[in-house]
Amino acid sequence: DAGVIQSPRHEVTEMGQEVTLRCKPISGHDYLFWYRQTMMRGLELLIYFNNNVPIDDSGMPEDRFSAKMPNASFSTLKIQPSEPRDSAVYFCASSPAGGNTEAFFGQGTRLTVV
Amino acid sequence: GDSVTQMEGPVTLSEEAFLTINCTYTATGYPSLFWYVQYPGEGLQLLLKATKADDKGSNKGFEATYRKETTSFHLEKGSVQVSDSAVYFCALSDEGTSYGKLTFGQGTILTVHP
């Protein structure tokens, strides 16, 4: 398996623009997680899905952030409108069902909002 | 809420030196504990885990023991190599939740010189 695939790897956008980050989880995994990594706040869980259903979005910082999982093989994280403070590395991770199995992380998307 | 505290970094060592990175946690119940490693430009990889008190996780010469009495999960390696240079994250997952739903420490940068 190719692992968790995220795109793009790097994104530079202007403040106010819409940004969409994409994630393809490992086939057969039931859980999908979106994390954000910044120097100030470290790694934070934004939202996670189980069987395509959002379970906990309490980590989503503002209404400008939204995430969807239309099917088992694809998820998006959208920021609209983007702000400079959204600059961070965004990671997607997936794990199988059953609970007692590790999560596998993608390589991340480095977002820069100027 | 849950929290994980890691020793202040960065840590700089010579090759073959002994490594300790301290990690303590706060959580209700009986969390599972993890060490993740992040190499430059890559996502996080699970290094080792322990799911109950007194368990020892080990991998690639690294070890950590789940100490409930001191709420600690310190990472150790007897002889580090240059290839161990990376960022190390201690993390926990609440009892009964997916192992992908993680609370991370702030990370410790390790640099190993020849």
Side-chain angles (χ1 to χ4, degrees):
Chain A
D1 199 311
V4 176
I5 299 173
Q6 292 186 246
S7 63
R9 289 294 309 277
H10 302 274
E11 177 78 39
V12 180
T13 191
E14 292 185 348
M15 182 174 61
Q17 296 298 305
E18 177 180 294
V19 175
T20 299
L21 311 182
R22 297 172 175 80
C23 175
K24 176 178 168 53
I26 294 173
S27 177
H29 282 194
D30 295 317
Y31 287 90
L32 184 138
F33 307 85
W34 283 101
Y35 285 87
R36 179 173 67 174
Q37 184 180 33
T38 62
M39 289 295 293
M40 291 298 294
R41 301 176 65 91
L43 274 156
E44 306 171 280
L45 177 65
L46 299 178
I47 184 172
Y48 79 97
F49 297 82
N50 183 19
N51 291 323
N52 312 336
V53 177
I55 303 302
D56 183 354
D57 65 354
S58 59
M60 297 286 262
E62 300 173 36
D63 291 345
R64 297 184 296 106
F65 287 70
S66 62
K68 294 182 179 180
M69 192 165 185
N71 56 63
S73 58
F74 184 65
S75 178
T76 59
L77 179 67
K78 185 175 295 186
I79 309 173
Q80 166 63 20
S82 58
E83 297 182 3
R85 59 196 169 114
D86 301 331
S87 297
V89 181
Y90 292 81
F91 288 103
C92 178
S94 69
S95 69
N100 296 335
T101 49
E102 69 175 280
F104 295 83
F105 283 76
Q107 291 188 294
T109 294
R110 181 174 295 277
L111 173 66
T112 303
V113 183
V114 298
Chain B
D2 297 343
S3 67
V4 177
T5 301
Q6 292 180 230
M7 65 184 293
E8 294 292 328
V11 174
T12 302
L13 296 172
S14 298
E15 205 165 26
E16 299 184 3
F18 184 84
L19 168 70
T20 299
I21 301 177
N22 290 338
C23 171
T24 58
Y25 68 91
T26 302
T28 56
Y30 300 91
S32 295
L33 303 175
F34 306 83
W35 278 99
Y36 277 83
V37 59
Q38 184 180 27
Y39 298 102
E42 298 187 9
L44 281 75
Q45 304 173 24
L46 179 64
L47 181 60
L48 53 85
K49 70 177 187 284
T51 58
K52 60 182 187 295
D54 300 324
D55 268 2
K56 177 186 285 188
S58 61
N59 186 25
K60 298 180 181 179
F62 291 89
E63 293 183 340
T65 301
Y66 189 143
R67 301 289 188 198
K68 188 162 180 63
E69 64 276 13
T70 55
T71 61
S72 65
F73 193 54
H74 305 321
L75 182 69
E76 296 182 337
K77 186 174 185 181
S79 176
V80 294
Q81 306 299 312
V82 172
S83 57
D84 294 327
S85 298
V87 184
Y88 292 82
F89 293 91
C90 186
L92 70 81
S93 176
D94 279 335
E95 183 180 11
T97 64
S98 166
Y99 282 2
K101 186 175 184 291
L102 297 160
T103 299
F104 285 94
Q106 62 267 45
T108 300
I109 300 172
L110 171 65
T111 303
V112 180
H113 293 297

